Amino acid sequence: YGLRKEKFIYSVDRSQVSNRIRLYEGYPLKRKKKNGQVVKGLVTSFDDHTVVIDCNHPFAGEELKFEADIHKINRPKAIQ
């Protein structure tokens, strides 16, 4: 998922978010970029004037560990 990127964290004016929405940290929001693309993000903080939305993947910057069982190994066929 890669590293967390600051360029995917946006501050928007509170007036751009409907006042009918009861915001909380972790609230999922969609943001429309200037090019029309819609990105999903989570509210990381807010006050009466500003809402901060983090659009990084939730696993970005996290260390992922995998465990696997190998059941079979196929040997390549000889090239003729």
Side-chain angles (χ1 to χ4, degrees), residues 11-54:
S11 292
V12 298
D13 192 271
R14 179 64 175 92
S15 65
Q16 293 181 323
V17 179
S18 172
N19 60 4
R20 292 182 285 155
I21 294 176
R22 200 172 180 133
L23 288 178
Y24 56 86
E25 287 185 19
Y27 187 91
L29 279 179
K30 293 179 184 175
R31 179 177 187 276
K32 193 172 197 175
K33 294 170 56 173
K34 290 178 183 177
N35 65 5
Q37 179 186 9
V38 176
V39 292
K40 296 178 184 177
L42 298 176
V43 172
T44 57
S45 64
F46 63 94
D47 59 27
D48 291 338
H49 307 286
T50 307
V51 178
V52 179
I53 305 167
D54 184 348

Side-chain angles (χ1 to χ4, degrees), residues 66-75:
F66 296 90
E67 187 174 310
D69 295 323
I70 299 173
H71 296 276
K72 184 177 180 181
I73 297 176
N74 292 328
R75 297 192 187 276

